[in-house]
Amino acid sequence: MTVPEQPRRADARRNVEGIRRAALDVFRTGGLTTPLDEVARAAGVSKGTIYHRFGSRRGLIDAVVDDLVAERIQGIIAAVGELDEPLARFEEYLLRMFLLQYDEPAANDVLVRALPDSEPLLNLCEKAQEFAFGLLRAAQEAGVIRPDLTPDDVNHLILERGAIVRSCGCTQSRADYQRRLRFLLDGLRSNPFPRTS
Amino acid sequence: MTVPEQPRRADARRNVEGIRRAALDVFRTGGLTTPLDEVARAAGVSKGTIYHRFGSRRGLIDAVVDDLVAERIQGIIAAVGELDEPLARFEEYLLRMFLLQYDEPAANDVLVRALPDSEPLLNLCEKAQEFAFGLLRAAQEAGVIRPDLTPDDVNHLILERGAIVRSCGCTQSRADYQRRLRFLLDGLRSNPFPRTS
DNA sequence: TACGTTCTTGACCATGGAGTCAATCTTTCT
DNA sequence: AGAAAGATTGACTCCATGGTCAAGAACGTA
């Protein structure tokens, strides 16, 4: 009952849609931990209705997370798939992930798992994770990424970035944020490999 | 009256000392934002007494921050002062700062300024900051640190580290944490400069 | 020892957010 | 239209934290 299937009455169906839309909007700008009262206000509905329709915060998240994040992450995977060079593939993946974290607090919350675990969420994360591990191995086999970087380290990089964006996100411009990402990425390359800058 | 000078009665003096000691202990392990109730419990007094004696959380922080952090930071500055090479000086400073942030949540809170500003605190931060800027310039003039790294970037590195430690500190061992710092520091070096690893 | 002064206490207020539910309103079916 | 099932409401509870204050306890001095 987390995702309500066809409520019987017209007003209920209307509200479910309105709440979904409002949640999309509010979560998009404020992250998935935004107070539900705000979602309720944005939807023109009382908080109780949300709990009635979606059961809990997590139910609501499950109902919108796909629209919110899935296609962004799949977009990243697709974009990286276009590239050929192992180094470019690995770096592009991380760069785009980091930028996604900056751009969408909600996506960040998903990646950081700072919320009640839900199935579609976990699937998404694991899929992205496996993809990243593949990129890492390829880049290391090509000798362009330092061999002492582990898959676990890559996960940590994402988590750390999440923490950073949460607390220092608003204090730096996107341009500065992106420029600083270069420092980080350069530190992951193999020793003698030349840099972009 | 933030730092009570000689309360008149013996029990008051005793309590001030007890509270200071308890705060030192509690803040040390939990950071400067730990609920004052905990400090009160540790000191065996009631919360009201703390407010009475120190006026506010900030008053209490002012009264202990020196013992808590000052000598650690001064120790870092001193240790770095022993070194000769510009690269080693700059990297040692950052490394020690980052480790201090890991080891002492309270020190981290100070560096991140995640609390009511207080005078001794600000002095300390600015002193360390100026010192760091000097190290950066020297290292850049020697050509060992990338020239596009700005003083502002260095500040950000500290702030970001603070956010990381706050939220992912407990999920990684100190050894892993330190190993990963290497990635970061390597990314700050000048292009053709060889790495340690 | 007794009294005035200084201290301490813990119950109290306020804030802000999660989550619940009985009462009330709305839809829909006949 | 009327009634039953379904839906909404908003006031309520609960929890955690920061901070206050009147009343009573402890000190120390005469």
Side-chain angles (χ1 to χ4, degrees):
Chain A
M1 195 187 276
T2 46
V3 178
E5 18 211 313
Q6 287 299 79
R8 335 211 149 167
R9 267 170 47 176
D11 49 352
R13 255 175 284 135
R14 220 184 310 127
N15 279 334
V16 167
E17 248 326 286
I19 292 169
R20 259 184 50 87
R21 249 197 298 275
L24 237 21
D25 207 60
V26 169
F27 284 164
R28 186 100 63 187
T29 69
L32 296 179
T33 54
T34 313
L36 287 196
D37 303 68
E38 268 181 52
V39 178
R41 204 165 347 110
V45 141
S46 115
K47 189 174 41 161
T49 303
I50 295 183
Y51 281 98
H52 248 289
R53 291 289 134 233
F54 295 91
S56 63
R57 151 174 254 107
R58 162 166 164 193
L60 180 58
I61 289 175
D62 282 358
V64 299
V65 71
D66 234 67
D67 286 9
L68 212 46
V69 178
E71 82 184 25
R72 302 294 301 260
I73 292 184
Q74 276 153 5
I76 290 176
I77 292 179
V80 169
E82 306 275 299
L83 301 175
D84 293 323
E85 299 296 327
L87 179 61
R89 282 164 63 85
F90 181 73
E91 290 194 345
E92 188 73 9
Y93 176 84
L94 276 187
L95 181 64
R96 283 183 184 247
M97 273 299 201
F98 292 157
L99 287 175
L100 175 60
Q101 291 182 281
Y102 181 94
D103 291 331
E104 300 227 14
N108 191 32
D109 289 342
V110 170
L111 293 170
V112 171
R113 299 170 186 72
L115 34 91
D117 296 324
S118 77
E119 270 192 60
L121 237 80
L122 283 185
N123 291 340
L124 200 57
C125 284
E126 285 187 14
K127 189 172 156 195
Q129 195 173 296
E130 285 311 313
F131 184 71
F133 292 172
L135 297 177
L136 171 64
R137 194 173 37 224
Q140 284 176 327
E141 275 166 10
V144 293
I145 287 292
R146 53 194 306 164
D148 57 340
L149 187 70
T150 69
D152 223 54
D153 290 336
V154 173
N155 272 344
H156 255 279
L157 287 176
I158 304 273
L159 287 182
E160 292 183 353
R161 202 43 44 184
I164 289 171
V165 165
R166 264 172 175 260
S167 75
C168 330
C170 43
T171 66
Q172 56 188 332
S173 73
R174 193 175 193 279
D176 273 341
Y177 176 81
Q178 185 162 359
R179 186 175 56 79
R180 286 168 183 145
L181 288 179
R182 223 23 285 159
F183 304 157
L184 178 58
L185 293 178
D186 282 348
L188 305 182
R189 294 192 176 185
S190 264
N191 204 330
F193 205 74
R195 292 195 184 150
T196 46
S197 58
Chain B
M1 195 186 277
T2 45
V3 178
E5 17 211 313
Q6 289 299 78
R8 335 216 149 161
R9 267 169 49 176
D11 50 351
R13 254 173 286 137
R14 217 184 312 126
N15 278 335
V16 166
E17 247 327 285
I19 292 170
R20 259 183 51 87
R21 249 198 297 275
L24 238 21
D25 208 59
V26 170
F27 285 164
R28 186 100 64 186
T29 69
L32 296 179
T33 55
T34 312
L36 287 195
D37 303 67
E38 268 181 53
V39 177
R41 203 167 346 109
V45 290
S46 112
K47 188 174 44 158
T49 303
I50 295 183
Y51 281 97
H52 243 288
R53 293 286 134 233
F54 295 90
S56 63
R57 152 174 254 107
R58 167 172 160 188
L60 180 59
I61 289 175
D62 282 358
V64 299
V65 71
D66 235 69
D67 286 10
L68 210 48
V69 178
E71 82 184 24
R72 303 293 301 260
I73 292 184
Q74 275 151 7
I76 291 176
I77 292 179
V80 169
E82 306 275 299
L83 300 175
D84 291 325
E85 298 296 325
L87 179 61
R89 283 163 61 86
F90 180 72
E91 290 195 343
E92 187 73 9
Y93 175 84
L94 276 187
L95 181 64
R96 285 185 184 245
M97 273 301 201
F98 292 157
L99 287 174
L100 174 61
Q101 291 182 281
Y102 181 93
D103 291 330
E104 300 228 13
N108 191 31
D109 288 341
V110 170
L111 293 170
V112 171
R113 299 172 187 71
L115 34 88
D117 297 325
S118 75
E119 270 191 59
L121 237 80
L122 284 185
N123 291 340
L124 201 57
C125 285
E126 286 188 12
K127 190 173 155 193
Q129 195 172 297
E130 285 311 313
F131 184 71
F133 291 171
L135 296 177
L136 171 63
R137 195 174 35 224
Q140 284 176 325
E141 276 166 11
V144 292
I145 286 294
R146 55 195 302 165
D148 56 342
L149 186 70
T150 69
D152 224 54
D153 290 336
V154 173
N155 271 344
H156 256 279
L157 286 176
I158 305 274
L159 287 182
E160 291 182 354
R161 203 40 48 182
I164 289 171
V165 164
R166 264 172 175 261
S167 75
C168 330
C170 42
T171 65
Q172 57 188 331
S173 73
R174 195 176 191 279
D176 274 341
Y177 176 81
Q178 185 162 359
R179 185 175 56 80
R180 286 168 183 147
L181 288 179
R182 219 28 280 160
F183 304 158
L184 179 57
L185 293 179
D186 282 348
L188 306 181
R189 293 192 177 184
S190 263
N191 205 333
F193 205 74
R195 293 197 183 149
T196 46
S197 58

